[in-house]
Structure formats: structure tokens, C-alpha cells
Amino acid sequence: MERFYDVTSESVTEGHPDKVCDQIADGILDAYLAGDPKSRVALEVMASTDTLMLAGEITSTAQVDVVAKAREIIREIGYVEHGRGFDADTCMILTNIHKQSPDISMGVTRSQGDEKEVLGGGDQGIMYGYATDETESFMPQPCDLANRLARQLADVRKIQKAEFLYPDGKTQVTMRYNAAGEPVAIRSIVVSTQHSEHISHEVLEDFIRQTVIAPIVDAKWLTPETKIHVNPTGRFVIGGPAGDTGVTGRKLMVDTYGTVGKHGGGAFSGKDPTKVDRSATYMARYVAKNIVASGMAKRCEVALAFVIGQTEPEAITVDTFGTGRLPDSAIAQIIRGIFDFSVADIIAQLDLRKPQYLKTAAYGHFGRMGFRWEETDKAYILSNILKQLELG
């Protein structure tokens, strides 16, 4: 009998309270980087009923009206209706922001100016990157689908002007895999969306099936046993920060690979690229994706371990889960000669000083083109090395 196993991934829309916080943190980060590319930012955001809190450390020559920027982002997300417990114009915004600790700063900044910049890691930790050949995005299939469903739900609300939909929403996909690690069918799909109290559950469910699920999910994944749940409680009127407190960095699996692959625990949003929680995770994805794109492996996880203040990673490890055409240790040795892993080199290679982070703060940091860490420009080099080793 063939053996199967299931993998479940979830995603959330930009109106989810945690994602509201992530977007505000990254939008403010972008504003500082636009004025000063070497800004040091570590910003945390919390959102609750009619209240937003901004707290953290910012050192920059740029001047940013963080309250105005937060309101602008809340408005763009869609929280504009007064009296619903949270909106851009009337929510109270509290701030507690100061400069970066000098104890951290002296470990990060080594030298700047005309010479090559030398930076130490802004924290210790292990950062992971993952890639798989099961989708064109090199992302796990259920994670890819969950993120695309969440974005489609938001697009239907904002672009197609479905005014009975409100900003908060969640999606979830359970995918069945065969023993070879290949996705074969969808076990279940969940779409939960905040909505007007004036629309019936039956009308809403039919609308979501037709406009959100059908355009995204290929019928080849569906079987007679596939379950589709739309607002399974039957009602989702109260949502967003009025329904649940939001905090930055609380959707780590949504931000990365949807429960597939490891996560070092560090969040991304609100952190400038000297924070290796963010930059080294992007680097690990870049390397893993190029390894898979080159044909060296079907699946790959790259881990980078850093010590605060050190310029180079303490360890670089590769795991191809038995799919590699070379031993994992050999691949790890090869990538050391192709990629540069110092903190300053990571920032330079991936162009991490430019404002771009608001776009990452919803629907996943990986699997979408337009970011340097999603490019596969090193794959041909790795492919040539693989051919030479196999021939000789």
C-alpha cells in the first residue's frame, strides 16, 4: 500500500491584526531607509481596539513622521470606516522610540566611509532558508497556495470592490503528499473572511468559492474528498485589531515556508538589514533557491549561524533531505566559494539598504519575484560545477 502524509500551511490577509503591525513596522522602516540608507531600525508595533503602539530603537539622520506614516498604511489596508473599533483617522497612536543601544551599536559597526564597510551581526541566532522544486516559485505547494488565496481575497475586496468584505482574513491549505515527497491532492481548503453583517453565509460562501478559490486552485488538486470551508463558524463580522490584538513578528510561518523547513525564531518586520534575523534569512533563501534551481537537489535547507558582533557566520550547513546529487557537506563547501556570507556582503549582494520591505510584510517574504533574494543568477555557476564533478 502506498504511504501518504499531509502538510498544512496557512496565510493571512493584510488586514489581519498581526499583519497590520508588520506592515506599519516595515513601512516606517522604508521611510527611514529612503532618507538614510544606513538607518538602524528595530521597531515593534502593537494594535488593539482603537489603539496603536509604536516602540523600539531608531538611529537615523532621516526625519520621519511615524504617526502619519502609520495612519497612511492603515488607510491603505482598508481600515477607514469609523465606529468599527479601529480606523486610520481616529485610532489613538502611542509612541516610545529611542536610539539604538550603544552596546549593540559597537558590535555592529566596525568601519565605514570610503573603505569597504565591515559590519558585525546585530544579534546571535540561526537563520534558515528553504527551497523546493515542487512549484515554479520554489516554495512548498500548500504554502504557495495559501499565500495566493490570501492575496486573491484581498484583491477581490480592493480591486473588484467587493464592499461587503472587510480587511481581516485567513486561508489554510492541507496538501496530501506521496512517499516520494510529491504533492498529489488537496485534503482541505479554508477561507475565512471578515464581512458585512448584511450578507448571508450562503451568498458569501458561493462568492468566495467563485471569485477567490476557483481562480487560484487548479482543479487537478481537487478530489471528491476535498473539503472546502468558508467561514466555518458561520460569522466573522468583528475582526482586525478590534477583534484580536496584533503584534509584529507573530506570523513566522506565514512569513516563511508554512510549517515546511525550520525557522530560527527571529522575526523580520521592523528590522533594518544589519539585523541578521532578517538579512541572513534572506541570504539563506537565496542560496537554497539557487541550489535547487541548479539541479543540485530537489529540496534544500540552508542554515547560517551568527554570533553578535562577528562579521562572518559561525557555521554554514546544508540539508538536501536525501535529494542532493552531491553530499550535503560537498555542497556546503561549494557555496562558500560562490557566495559571500559576511554581514556587509549579504547586505550588498541582496541590495538590502533600499526601501522595499513594506511589500514583504504581507503574503510571505519568499516566493514572489521582485526581490534580489528571489533571483537564481548563481544557478548556472552551480550547475556547471555539478556537471564538472559528475563528469570527472
Side-chain angles (χ1 to χ4, degrees):
M1 176 183 292
E2 188 172 5
R3 299 175 62 185
F4 298 92
Y5 63 95
D6 296 334
V7 176
T8 302
S9 296
E10 73 159 349
S11 188
V12 297
T13 66
E14 61 211 59
H16 184 280
D18 293 331
K19 279 293 149 199
V20 170
C21 295
D22 286 344
Q23 289 166 96
I24 292 170
D26 273 340
I28 291 172
L29 169 63
D30 280 349
Y32 274 103
L33 292 176
D36 175 7
K38 293 188 177 181
S39 295
R40 297 282 174 80
V41 179
L43 185 66
E44 303 295 342
V45 181
M46 184 181 75
S48 188
T49 303
D50 289 325
T51 306
L52 191 76
M53 177 70 181
L54 310 176
E57 300 81 45
I58 298 177
T59 303
S60 177
T61 61
Q63 299 296 315
V64 175
D65 186 337
V66 296
V67 171
K69 176 57 68 172
R71 294 194 190 281
E72 174 189 321
I73 293 166
I74 295 167
R75 187 174 295 107
E76 177 60 28
I77 290 169
Y79 286 110
V80 295
E81 188 174 343
H82 302 334
R84 297 197 59 84
F86 188 80
D87 71 84
D89 294 323
T90 67
C91 71
M92 177 173 60
I93 300 181
L94 308 174
T95 63
N96 185 1
I97 297 171
H98 50 88
K99 290 187 176 182
Q100 183 182 56
S101 161
D103 293 347
I104 296 175
S105 181
M106 71 178 182
V108 175
T109 305
R110 298 297 183 81
S111 65
Q112 294 181 350
D114 294 334
E115 61 182 300
K116 180 181 178 182
E117 185 177 35
V118 179
L119 296 171
D123 203 350
Q124 69 179 45
I126 308 95
M127 279 55 73
Y128 294 92
Y130 180 84
T132 173
D133 68 357
E134 64 193 60
T135 61
E136 291 183 0
S137 64
F138 292 86
M139 294 289 284
Q141 185 70 72
C143 180
D144 183 73
L145 284 173
N147 279 328
R148 289 169 57 206
L149 284 167
R151 177 176 283 276
Q152 178 71 5
L153 178 58
D155 287 348
V156 167
R157 173 178 63 88
K158 297 174 75 173
I159 298 173
Q160 299 185 30
K161 306 294 185 183
E163 296 181 355
F164 51 85
L165 298 181
Y166 294 157
D168 198 357
K170 302 182 77 171
T171 63
Q172 183 171 289
V173 175
T174 298
M175 179 74 65
R176 171 147 286 190
Y177 283 73
N178 62 22
E182 301 166 333
V184 294
I186 291 175
R187 293 293 305 279
S188 69
I189 298 171
V190 184
V191 178
S192 294
T193 179
Q194 186 186 11
H195 60 87
S196 164
E197 59 187 347
H198 302 298
I199 188 170
S200 72
H201 179 74
E202 292 74 20
V203 171
L204 180 64
E205 178 172 358
D206 183 67
F207 179 82
I208 294 299
R209 284 174 176 263
Q210 296 301 318
T211 64
V212 176
I213 298 174
I216 298 299
V217 180
D218 193 318
K220 72 178 182 180
W221 299 120
L222 304 178
T223 73
E225 288 74 39
T226 301
K227 298 178 181 178
I228 297 178
H229 308 277
V230 176
N231 281 16
T233 67
R235 179 180 170 88
F236 186 3
V237 173
I238 300 173
D244 188 16
T245 299
V247 182
T248 43
R250 206 160 59 175
K251 285 291 176 282
L252 301 184
M253 293 298 103
V254 174
D255 288 342
T256 53
Y257 308 103
T259 73
V260 179
K262 301 184 188 72
H263 194 294
F268 307 144
S269 292
K271 296 179 180 179
D272 75 81
T274 65
K275 280 69 173 176
V276 287
D277 280 347
R278 181 168 220 160
S279 53
T281 301
Y282 290 171
M283 187 65 185
R285 162 65 175 179
Y286 177 53
V287 176
K289 186 173 181 180
N290 275 271
I291 289 171
V292 174
S294 74
M296 277 191 171
K298 295 179 67 64
R299 297 169 59 203
C300 183
E301 182 179 81
V302 173
L304 305 178
F306 274 87
V307 175
I308 188 168
Q310 289 194 4
T311 60
E312 299 279 347
E314 189 80 353
I316 302 172
T317 57
V318 172
D319 186 351
T320 61
F321 309 95
T323 70
R325 289 165 62 180
L326 297 172
D328 291 348
S329 58
I331 296 176
Q333 187 63 34
I334 290 169
I335 63 173
R336 286 175 179 269
I338 303 300
F339 301 91
D340 296 314
F341 290 97
S342 74
V343 178
D345 284 330
I346 288 172
I347 291 172
Q349 286 174 98
L350 301 185
D351 199 13
L352 298 181
R353 296 284 195 189
K354 73 177 185 180
Q356 59 189 313
Y357 297 108
L358 177 56
K359 293 183 292 184
T360 71
Y363 314 113
H365 291 244
F366 309 114
R368 291 180 288 149
M369 298 306 295
F371 304 109
R372 181 71 180 88
W373 56 89
E374 288 296 315
E375 296 179 11
T376 54
D377 54 312
K378 303 293 187 183
Y380 77 98
I381 300 175
L382 295 171
S383 178
N384 287 337
I385 292 173
L386 177 64
K387 290 176 183 176
Q388 291 170 13
L389 292 173
E390 289 184 334
L391 288 174

Coordinates of all heavy atoms in Angstrom, one line a residue, residues 1-4 179:
M1 N 0.8 -1.2 0.0 CA 0.0 0.0 0.0 C 0.9 1.3 0.0 O 1.8 1.3 0.8 CB -0.9 0.0 1.2 CG -1.8 1.3 1.3 SD -2.8 1.3 2.9 CE -3.9 0.0 2.5
E2 N 0.6 2.2 -0.9 CA 1.4 3.4 -1.0 C 1.1 4.3 0.3 O 0.0 4.4 0.8 CB 1.0 4.2 -2.2 CG 1.9 5.4 -2.4 CD 1.7 6.1 -3.8 OE1 0.8 5.7 -4.5 OE2 2.5 7.0 -4.1
R3 N 2.2 4.9 0.8 CA 2.1 5.7 2.0 C 1.9 7.2 1.6 O 2.6 7.7 0.7 CB 3.3 5.5 2.9 CG 3.4 4.0 3.4 CD 4.7 3.8 4.1 NE 4.7 4.6 5.3 CZ 5.8 4.7 6.2 NH1 6.9 4.0 5.9 NH2 5.7 5.4 7.3
F4 N 1.1 7.9 2.4 CA 0.9 9.3 2.2 C 1.1 10.1 3.5 O 1.0 9.5 4.6 CB -0.5 9.6 1.7 CG -0.8 9.0 0.3 CD1 -1.4 7.7 0.2 CD2 -0.5 9.6 -0.8 CE1 -1.6 7.1 -1.0 CE2 -0.8 9.1 -2.1 CZ -1.3 7.8 -2.1
A179 N 4.8 9.1 -0.8 CA 6.0 8.8 0.0 C 7.3 9.4 -0.7 O 8.3 9.5 0.0 CB 6.1 7.2 0.0

